[in-house]
Amino acid sequence: MKTRKSAMKLALCGMMAALTVVLMLFEGLVSVASVAVPAIAGCLLIPVVAHGGLGFGFAAYGAAGLLCLLLAPDREAALIYLLFFGYYPVLYAVLSKLKKPPLLWGAKLLIFNAAAIAEAMLAVWMLGVPVEEFTSLPFVGAWGPAVLLALANVVFVLYDRVLAGLITQYYRRFYDKMSRYF
């Protein structure tokens, strides 16, 4: 019985990784969704973490991330998935154990800002994105990167709240129904 349940968890892990890759492949059709598609793709790991735990969650992230780097037509979207949105729903389970809100939000914002800065630097260095995309915003001049990072932090806080709601709804509506298989 234990082998069967492990096989079911592994199958769920593989299916969610495959769905993530398919979603990232479709991102190439609508190139304006370079951030939205990786964010949605990361949410596919909620059932994996809920039923398989952190190990299966990170395994699905690793498999999907590697395949996205190899196959996704939009390299920047794949980089965004790999550097933040892919592992954040898994890491959310770890971070939620922090009970003090200032410590929790400090850790979340530190992780997000490190990932955002790393993504911008790697996009310029590896993908050849012109630096002017980050520095030539109208009305802000040299403050462009700081303004973009501040706006990204606002969007991240909204994403975090939406992710919390999705996790809550998954546990309310689907967890018990799916648990009999795992």
Side-chain angles (χ1 to χ4, degrees):
M1 186 67 161
K2 185 175 180 173
T3 306
R4 180 180 170 270
K5 290 196 181 253
S6 294
M8 293 295 284
K9 291 176 185 177
L10 188 59
L12 177 67
C13 181
M15 286 185 343
M16 290 301 135
L19 280 172
T20 297
V21 174
V22 168
L23 191 60
M24 293 295 287
L25 288 172
F26 281 130
E27 194 281 328
L29 298 175
V30 184
S31 61
V32 295
S34 293
V35 176
V37 170
I40 294 167
C43 294
L44 292 174
L45 294 180
I46 292 171
V48 176
V49 175
H51 298 289
L54 296 176
F56 281 100
F58 280 117
Y61 155 72
L66 181 63
L67 288 171
C68 286
L69 276 180
L70 295 173
L71 301 173
D74 186 346
R75 298 286 181 221
E76 190 171 8
L79 195 59
I80 290 169
Y81 177 82
L82 193 65
L83 290 177
F84 184 71
F85 287 116
Y87 66 82
Y88 186 71
V90 182
L91 192 62
Y92 189 91
V94 175
L95 292 174
S96 64
K97 294 177 183 174
L98 298 173
K99 298 301 178 195
K100 296 182 180 178
L103 185 61
L104 173 66
W105 279 101
K108 287 179 177 185
L109 289 170
L110 179 69
I111 291 166
F112 172 73
N113 283 302
I117 292 168
E119 191 279 326
M121 292 172 71
L122 286 173
V124 169
W125 181 58
M126 290 178 61
L127 302 178
V129 173
V131 177
E132 292 77 28
E133 276 197 30
F134 301 105
T135 59
S136 64
L137 294 174
F139 308 113
V140 292
W143 291 96
V147 170
L148 280 175
L149 190 59
L151 292 172
N153 276 278
V154 170
V155 171
F156 164 69
V157 170
L158 292 172
Y159 173 75
D160 184 82
R161 299 301 1 137
V162 168
L163 185 63
L166 285 172
I167 292 169
T168 301
Q169 289 302 315
Y170 181 80
Y171 274 96
R172 280 188 189 156
R173 295 175 186 230
F174 301 110
Y175 183 78
D176 290 336
K177 295 172 186 169
M178 296 291 291
S179 285
R180 62 182 163 178
Y181 300 110
F182 302 104

